Amino acid sequence: MQLELTGITKSFDSKEVLKGVDFTFEQGKIYGLLGRNGAGKTTLFNCLSGEIKADKGEASLRREEQKTALDPEKIGYVLATPVLPEFLTGYEFVKFFMDINQKKIRSNRTIDDYLSLIQIEPDDRHRLIKGYSHGMKNKMQMLCCIIAQPPVILLDEPLTSLDIVVALEIKKLLREMKRDHIILFSTHILQLATDLCDEIVLLNNGKLEQVDHSILGDPQFEDKIIQLLKDEEEA
């Protein structure tokens, strides 16, 4: 399976943020998406997820010789700031999510099985989500992807502000999930991208550019990435 982006453009008033994005993402890999603040990482994710409409271009899924337009229902989108129904308990939310996605669920896991999977303690399952920590809310977002198993998963700064234990748990989950998915991981933390991701992609001057895999272990790797992003600023 491949996610193919072709000629995606997006402008806001006179500012052109995405300038004809072309790229092919492969199943089984975590792609680290790097770029300076304001480079358009979230804009690209919003275009792919259907949150906003691209001005031009298309995104499609290819399975062998079959190519179809990317349907927002085939995307799991984990936001940097979790958006969850805080008037529900964790247990109620998972039950609701499983009910509305019943046709997509391929697992026989129960609600408690899922909550155990992301290490939500029994005492917390019947508390309102409003009282959950940022890390717990982030894990609940990730759980939606685990339950529905969308082919494409977009992660917008999902580990920001998490404590080290929760961050390690989520990284482990992502590594376990990547075999059956295409995962795009947006971050501004270079070390996190090199530690977790199989490929590094720069959003540079409105376009995507893959970093040569052979330099990932290079002692000068960080300096080279910084120079590329500085070149964008100068441009």
Short mmCIF file of all heavy atoms in Angstrom, two decimals, residues 136-185:
data_model
loop_
_atom_site.label_atom_id
_atom_site.label_comp_id
_atom_site.label_asym_id
_atom_site.label_seq_id
_atom_site.Cartn_x
_atom_site.Cartn_y
_atom_site.Cartn_z
N MET A 136 -2.67 10.95 29.29
CA MET A 136 -3.78 10.00 29.22
C MET A 136 -4.70 10.32 28.04
O MET A 136 -5.16 9.42 27.33
CB MET A 136 -4.56 10.00 30.53
CG MET A 136 -3.79 9.43 31.71
SD MET A 136 -4.63 9.73 33.29
CE MET A 136 -6.07 8.67 33.13
N LYS A 137 -4.95 11.61 27.82
CA LYS A 137 -5.79 12.01 26.68
C LYS A 137 -5.11 11.65 25.36
O LYS A 137 -5.78 11.21 24.41
CB LYS A 137 -6.08 13.51 26.74
CG LYS A 137 -6.99 13.93 27.89
CD LYS A 137 -7.17 15.44 27.93
CE LYS A 137 -8.04 15.86 29.09
NZ LYS A 137 -8.19 17.33 29.18
N ASN A 138 -3.80 11.83 25.30
CA ASN A 138 -3.08 11.47 24.09
C ASN A 138 -3.17 9.97 23.82
O ASN A 138 -3.31 9.52 22.68
CB ASN A 138 -1.61 11.89 24.20
CG ASN A 138 -1.23 12.90 23.14
OD1 ASN A 138 -1.75 12.87 22.05
ND2 ASN A 138 -0.31 13.79 23.46
N LYS A 139 -3.08 9.17 24.89
CA LYS A 139 -3.21 7.72 24.72
C LYS A 139 -4.61 7.34 24.26
O LYS A 139 -4.78 6.41 23.47
CB LYS A 139 -2.84 7.00 26.01
CG LYS A 139 -1.36 7.06 26.34
CD LYS A 139 -0.92 5.99 27.32
CE LYS A 139 -1.45 6.23 28.71
NZ LYS A 139 -0.91 5.24 29.68
N MET A 140 -5.63 8.08 24.73
CA MET A 140 -6.99 7.80 24.27
C MET A 140 -7.13 8.10 22.78
O MET A 140 -7.82 7.38 22.05
CB MET A 140 -7.99 8.64 25.08
CG MET A 140 -8.06 8.27 26.56
SD MET A 140 -8.69 6.61 26.88
CE MET A 140 -10.40 6.80 26.42
N GLN A 141 -6.47 9.17 22.32
CA GLN A 141 -6.47 9.46 20.88
C GLN A 141 -5.82 8.33 20.09
O GLN A 141 -6.32 7.88 19.07
CB GLN A 141 -5.69 10.75 20.60
CG GLN A 141 -6.44 12.03 20.87
CD GLN A 141 -5.74 13.22 20.21
OE1 GLN A 141 -6.31 13.89 19.36
NE2 GLN A 141 -4.51 13.48 20.57
N MET A 142 -4.67 7.86 20.59
CA MET A 142 -3.98 6.76 19.92
C MET A 142 -4.85 5.51 19.90
O MET A 142 -4.83 4.74 18.94
CB MET A 142 -2.66 6.47 20.64
CG MET A 142 -1.55 7.45 20.37
SD MET A 142 -1.05 7.46 18.62
CE MET A 142 -0.68 5.73 18.37
N LEU A 143 -5.61 5.31 20.97
CA LEU A 143 -6.46 4.13 21.05
C LEU A 143 -7.49 4.10 19.92
O LEU A 143 -7.83 3.04 19.40
CB LEU A 143 -7.15 4.07 22.41
CG LEU A 143 -8.00 2.83 22.69
CD1 LEU A 143 -7.16 1.55 22.54
CD2 LEU A 143 -8.60 2.89 24.09
N CYS A 144 -7.97 5.28 19.51
CA CYS A 144 -8.92 5.33 18.40
C CYS A 144 -8.31 4.74 17.14
O CYS A 144 -8.98 4.03 16.38
CB CYS A 144 -9.36 6.78 18.16
SG CYS A 144 -10.32 7.50 19.50
N CYS A 145 -7.02 5.02 16.90
CA CYS A 145 -6.33 4.46 15.74
C CYS A 145 -6.16 2.94 15.89
O CYS A 145 -6.27 2.20 14.92
CB CYS A 145 -4.97 5.12 15.55
SG CYS A 145 -5.05 6.88 15.13
N ILE A 146 -5.89 2.50 17.10
CA ILE A 146 -5.71 1.07 17.35
C ILE A 146 -7.02 0.32 17.12
O ILE A 146 -7.05 -0.78 16.56
CB ILE A 146 -5.20 0.83 18.78
CG1 ILE A 146 -3.80 1.43 18.94
CG2 ILE A 146 -5.18 -0.65 19.12
CD1 ILE A 146 -3.30 1.45 20.38
N ILE A 147 -8.14 0.92 17.53
CA ILE A 147 -9.43 0.27 17.40
C ILE A 147 -9.89 0.23 15.94
O ILE A 147 -10.27 -0.80 15.41
CB ILE A 147 -10.49 0.99 18.27
CG1 ILE A 147 -10.17 0.81 19.75
CG2 ILE A 147 -11.89 0.46 17.97
CD1 ILE A 147 -11.04 1.65 20.67
N ALA A 148 -9.87 1.40 15.27
CA ALA A 148 -10.41 1.50 13.92
C ALA A 148 -9.45 1.03 12.84
O ALA A 148 -9.87 0.70 11.73
CB ALA A 148 -10.84 2.94 13.64
N GLN A 149 -8.14 1.01 13.15
CA GLN A 149 -7.11 0.53 12.21
C GLN A 149 -7.19 1.21 10.83
O GLN A 149 -7.26 0.55 9.80
CB GLN A 149 -7.24 -0.99 12.02
CG GLN A 149 -6.95 -1.80 13.27
CD GLN A 149 -5.47 -1.82 13.63
OE1 GLN A 149 -4.62 -2.12 12.80
NE2 GLN A 149 -5.17 -1.48 14.85
N PRO A 150 -7.20 2.56 10.79
CA PRO A 150 -7.19 3.23 9.49
C PRO A 150 -5.85 2.99 8.80
O PRO A 150 -4.82 2.89 9.46
CB PRO A 150 -7.36 4.70 9.85
CG PRO A 150 -6.77 4.80 11.23
CD PRO A 150 -7.09 3.51 11.90
N PRO A 151 -5.84 2.89 7.47
CA PRO A 151 -4.58 2.61 6.78
C PRO A 151 -3.55 3.73 6.92
O PRO A 151 -2.35 3.47 6.91
CB PRO A 151 -5.00 2.43 5.32
CG PRO A 151 -6.38 2.99 5.22
CD PRO A 151 -7.00 2.88 6.56
N VAL A 152 -4.00 4.99 7.06
CA VAL A 152 -3.09 6.13 7.17
C VAL A 152 -3.28 6.78 8.54
O VAL A 152 -4.41 7.05 8.95
CB VAL A 152 -3.35 7.17 6.06
CG1 VAL A 152 -2.42 8.37 6.23
CG2 VAL A 152 -3.18 6.54 4.68
N ILE A 153 -2.16 7.00 9.24
CA ILE A 153 -2.21 7.63 10.55
C ILE A 153 -1.35 8.89 10.53
O ILE A 153 -0.17 8.84 10.18
CB ILE A 153 -1.73 6.66 11.65
CG1 ILE A 153 -2.65 5.44 11.71
CG2 ILE A 153 -1.69 7.36 13.01
CD1 ILE A 153 -2.19 4.38 12.68
N LEU A 154 -1.94 10.02 10.89
CA LEU A 154 -1.26 11.30 10.95
C LEU A 154 -1.07 11.68 12.41
O LEU A 154 -2.05 11.73 13.17
CB LEU A 154 -2.06 12.39 10.23
CG LEU A 154 -2.54 12.09 8.81
CD1 LEU A 154 -3.38 13.24 8.29
CD2 LEU A 154 -1.35 11.83 7.89
N LEU A 155 0.15 11.95 12.80
CA LEU A 155 0.47 12.27 14.19
C LEU A 155 1.11 13.65 14.25
O LEU A 155 2.23 13.84 13.79
CB LEU A 155 1.43 11.22 14.77
CG LEU A 155 0.98 9.75 14.65
CD1 LEU A 155 2.13 8.82 14.98
CD2 LEU A 155 -0.19 9.48 15.56
N ASP A 156 0.39 14.61 14.80
CA ASP A 156 0.86 15.99 14.85
C ASP A 156 1.41 16.28 16.24
O ASP A 156 0.64 16.57 17.17
CB ASP A 156 -0.29 16.94 14.50
CG ASP A 156 0.20 18.36 14.25
OD1 ASP A 156 1.42 18.61 14.36
OD2 ASP A 156 -0.64 19.24 13.96
N GLU A 157 2.72 16.19 16.39
CA GLU A 157 3.38 16.45 17.67
C GLU A 157 2.75 15.66 18.82
O GLU A 157 2.42 16.21 19.87
CB GLU A 157 3.33 17.95 18.01
CG GLU A 157 3.96 18.85 16.99
CD GLU A 157 5.48 18.89 17.06
OE1 GLU A 157 6.05 18.20 17.92
OE2 GLU A 157 6.08 19.61 16.25
N PRO A 158 2.57 14.33 18.67
CA PRO A 158 1.82 13.57 19.68
C PRO A 158 2.56 13.37 21.00
O PRO A 158 1.94 13.03 22.00
CB PRO A 158 1.57 12.23 18.99
CG PRO A 158 2.74 12.08 18.08
CD PRO A 158 3.03 13.47 17.57
N LEU A 159 3.87 13.55 21.02
CA LEU A 159 4.62 13.29 22.24
C LEU A 159 5.02 14.57 22.97
O LEU A 159 5.74 14.52 23.97
CB LEU A 159 5.87 12.46 21.93
CG LEU A 159 5.63 11.14 21.20
CD1 LEU A 159 6.92 10.36 21.04
CD2 LEU A 159 4.60 10.30 21.92
N THR A 160 4.55 15.70 22.47
CA THR A 160 4.89 16.97 23.09
C THR A 160 4.32 17.04 24.52
O THR A 160 3.17 16.71 24.75
CB THR A 160 4.31 18.15 22.27
OG1 THR A 160 4.87 18.09 20.95
CG2 THR A 160 4.68 19.48 22.90
N SER A 161 5.14 17.45 25.46
CA SER A 161 4.73 17.68 26.86
C SER A 161 4.38 16.40 27.62
O SER A 161 3.80 16.47 28.70
CB SER A 161 3.55 18.65 26.93
OG SER A 161 3.87 19.88 26.32
N LEU A 162 4.70 15.23 27.07
CA LEU A 162 4.42 13.99 27.79
C LEU A 162 5.60 13.63 28.68
O LEU A 162 6.75 13.89 28.34
CB LEU A 162 4.15 12.84 26.82
CG LEU A 162 2.98 12.99 25.85
CD1 LEU A 162 2.76 11.69 25.10
CD2 LEU A 162 1.72 13.41 26.57
N ASP A 163 5.30 12.97 29.80
CA ASP A 163 6.41 12.50 30.63
C ASP A 163 7.08 11.32 29.94
O ASP A 163 6.53 10.71 29.02
CB ASP A 163 5.94 12.15 32.04
CG ASP A 163 5.05 10.92 32.08
OD1 ASP A 163 5.50 9.84 31.69
OD2 ASP A 163 3.88 11.04 32.51
N ILE A 164 8.26 10.98 30.39
CA ILE A 164 9.09 10.01 29.67
C ILE A 164 8.46 8.63 29.60
O ILE A 164 8.58 7.93 28.59
CB ILE A 164 10.51 9.94 30.32
CG1 ILE A 164 11.43 9.07 29.47
CG2 ILE A 164 10.42 9.42 31.76
CD1 ILE A 164 12.88 9.15 29.91
N VAL A 165 7.73 8.23 30.65
CA VAL A 165 7.11 6.89 30.66
C VAL A 165 6.01 6.80 29.61
O VAL A 165 5.95 5.86 28.82
CB VAL A 165 6.56 6.55 32.05
CG1 VAL A 165 5.79 5.24 32.02
CG2 VAL A 165 7.70 6.46 33.06
N VAL A 166 5.13 7.81 29.57
CA VAL A 166 4.04 7.82 28.60
C VAL A 166 4.59 7.90 27.18
O VAL A 166 4.12 7.23 26.26
CB VAL A 166 3.07 8.99 28.87
CG1 VAL A 166 2.01 9.07 27.78
CG2 VAL A 166 2.41 8.81 30.23
N ALA A 167 5.62 8.74 26.97
CA ALA A 167 6.22 8.88 25.65
C ALA A 167 6.79 7.54 25.17
O ALA A 167 6.62 7.17 24.00
CB ALA A 167 7.32 9.93 25.68
N LEU A 168 7.44 6.81 26.05
CA LEU A 168 7.99 5.51 25.68
C LEU A 168 6.88 4.52 25.35
O LEU A 168 7.01 3.71 24.42
CB LEU A 168 8.87 4.97 26.82
CG LEU A 168 10.22 5.67 27.00
CD1 LEU A 168 10.90 5.17 28.28
CD2 LEU A 168 11.13 5.44 25.80
N GLU A 169 5.77 4.57 26.08
CA GLU A 169 4.65 3.68 25.80
C GLU A 169 4.09 3.94 24.41
O GLU A 169 3.80 3.00 23.65
CB GLU A 169 3.55 3.89 26.85
CG GLU A 169 3.90 3.35 28.24
CD GLU A 169 2.85 3.73 29.26
OE1 GLU A 169 1.83 4.34 28.88
OE2 GLU A 169 3.04 3.39 30.45
N ILE A 170 3.92 5.21 24.06
CA ILE A 170 3.34 5.55 22.76
C ILE A 170 4.31 5.19 21.63
O ILE A 170 3.91 4.70 20.58
CB ILE A 170 2.95 7.04 22.72
CG1 ILE A 170 1.76 7.28 23.67
CG2 ILE A 170 2.59 7.47 21.30
CD1 ILE A 170 1.25 8.69 23.72
N LYS A 171 5.61 5.41 21.85
CA LYS A 171 6.60 5.02 20.83
C LYS A 171 6.55 3.52 20.59
O LYS A 171 6.64 3.06 19.44
CB LYS A 171 7.99 5.46 21.28
CG LYS A 171 8.23 6.97 21.12
CD LYS A 171 9.42 7.45 21.92
CE LYS A 171 10.72 6.96 21.36
NZ LYS A 171 11.88 7.54 22.09
N LYS A 172 6.40 2.75 21.65
CA LYS A 172 6.31 1.30 21.51
C LYS A 172 5.06 0.91 20.71
O LYS A 172 5.11 0.05 19.82
CB LYS A 172 6.27 0.64 22.89
CG LYS A 172 6.19 -0.88 22.84
CD LYS A 172 6.14 -1.47 24.24
CE LYS A 172 6.01 -3.00 24.18
NZ LYS A 172 5.88 -3.58 25.55
N LEU A 173 3.94 1.57 21.00
CA LEU A 173 2.70 1.30 20.26
C LEU A 173 2.88 1.58 18.77
O LEU A 173 2.43 0.81 17.93
CB LEU A 173 1.56 2.17 20.81
CG LEU A 173 0.87 1.70 22.10
CD1 LEU A 173 -0.11 2.77 22.57
CD2 LEU A 173 0.15 0.38 21.88
N LEU A 174 3.53 2.69 18.45
CA LEU A 174 3.72 3.06 17.05
C LEU A 174 4.57 2.03 16.32
O LEU A 174 4.29 1.67 15.17
CB LEU A 174 4.36 4.44 16.95
CG LEU A 174 3.48 5.61 17.40
CD1 LEU A 174 4.27 6.91 17.40
CD2 LEU A 174 2.26 5.74 16.50
N ARG A 175 5.62 1.58 16.96
CA ARG A 175 6.49 0.57 16.33
C ARG A 175 5.72 -0.72 16.06
O ARG A 175 5.97 -1.41 15.07
CB ARG A 175 7.71 0.31 17.20
CG ARG A 175 8.69 1.50 17.27
CD ARG A 175 9.97 1.12 17.98
NE ARG A 175 10.91 2.22 18.04
CZ ARG A 175 11.18 2.92 19.15
NH1 ARG A 175 10.59 2.61 20.29
NH2 ARG A 175 12.05 3.92 19.11
N GLU A 176 4.80 -1.06 16.97
CA GLU A 176 4.01 -2.28 16.80
C GLU A 176 2.98 -2.12 15.69
O GLU A 176 2.63 -3.08 15.01
CB GLU A 176 3.31 -2.63 18.11
CG GLU A 176 4.27 -3.08 19.22
CD GLU A 176 3.57 -3.21 20.57
OE1 GLU A 176 2.39 -2.81 20.67
OE2 GLU A 176 4.23 -3.71 21.51
N MET A 177 2.49 -0.90 15.48
CA MET A 177 1.42 -0.66 14.52
C MET A 177 1.92 -0.47 13.09
O MET A 177 1.15 -0.65 12.14
CB MET A 177 0.63 0.58 14.94
CG MET A 177 -0.16 0.43 16.22
SD MET A 177 -0.88 2.01 16.76
CE MET A 177 -2.03 2.33 15.42
N LYS A 178 3.16 -0.08 12.91
CA LYS A 178 3.60 0.42 11.61
C LYS A 178 3.53 -0.62 10.50
O LYS A 178 3.37 -0.25 9.33
CB LYS A 178 5.01 0.99 11.70
CG LYS A 178 6.11 -0.05 11.88
CD LYS A 178 7.49 0.62 11.86
CE LYS A 178 8.61 -0.41 11.93
NZ LYS A 178 9.93 0.23 11.87
N ARG A 179 3.61 -1.90 10.83
CA ARG A 179 3.64 -2.93 9.78
C ARG A 179 2.44 -2.84 8.85
O ARG A 179 2.56 -3.05 7.64
CB ARG A 179 3.69 -4.32 10.44
CG ARG A 179 3.76 -5.45 9.42
CD ARG A 179 3.73 -6.80 10.11
NE ARG A 179 2.43 -7.02 10.75
CZ ARG A 179 2.11 -8.12 11.43
NH1 ARG A 179 3.00 -9.08 11.58
NH2 ARG A 179 0.92 -8.25 11.97
N ASP A 180 1.27 -2.52 9.41
CA ASP A 180 0.02 -2.54 8.63
C ASP A 180 -0.46 -1.15 8.24
O ASP A 180 -1.58 -1.01 7.74
CB ASP A 180 -1.07 -3.26 9.42
CG ASP A 180 -0.71 -4.70 9.75
OD1 ASP A 180 -0.18 -5.38 8.85
OD2 ASP A 180 -0.94 -5.13 10.89
N HIS A 181 0.36 -0.13 8.48
CA HIS A 181 -0.11 1.23 8.27
C HIS A 181 0.96 2.09 7.59
O HIS A 181 2.12 1.72 7.51
CB HIS A 181 -0.46 1.88 9.61
CG HIS A 181 -1.50 1.13 10.38
ND1 HIS A 181 -2.84 1.32 10.22
CD2 HIS A 181 -1.37 0.16 11.33
CE1 HIS A 181 -3.51 0.52 11.03
NE2 HIS A 181 -2.64 -0.20 11.71
N ILE A 182 0.51 3.25 7.13
CA ILE A 182 1.39 4.33 6.71
C ILE A 182 1.30 5.39 7.79
O ILE A 182 0.22 5.92 8.06
CB ILE A 182 0.96 4.92 5.35
CG1 ILE A 182 1.02 3.86 4.26
CG2 ILE A 182 1.83 6.11 4.98
CD1 ILE A 182 0.34 4.27 2.97
N ILE A 183 2.42 5.69 8.45
CA ILE A 183 2.40 6.59 9.60
C ILE A 183 3.26 7.81 9.31
O ILE A 183 4.45 7.68 8.98
CB ILE A 183 2.90 5.89 10.88
CG1 ILE A 183 2.00 4.68 11.20
CG2 ILE A 183 2.93 6.86 12.05
CD1 ILE A 183 2.44 3.90 12.43
N LEU A 184 2.65 9.00 9.41
CA LEU A 184 3.37 10.26 9.25
C LEU A 184 3.41 10.94 10.61
O LEU A 184 2.37 11.18 11.22
CB LEU A 184 2.66 11.17 8.24
CG LEU A 184 2.86 10.89 6.75
CD1 LEU A 184 2.36 9.52 6.36
CD2 LEU A 184 2.16 11.96 5.92
N PHE A 185 4.62 11.26 11.04
CA PHE A 185 4.85 11.75 12.40
C PHE A 185 5.48 13.14 12.31
O PHE A 185 6.65 13.27 11.97
CB PHE A 185 5.79 10.76 13.10
CG PHE A 185 6.07 11.05 14.55
CD1 PHE A 185 5.40 10.36 15.54
CD2 PHE A 185 7.01 12.00 14.92
CE1 PHE A 185 5.67 10.61 16.88
CE2 PHE A 185 7.28 12.26 16.25
CZ PHE A 185 6.60 11.56 17.24
#
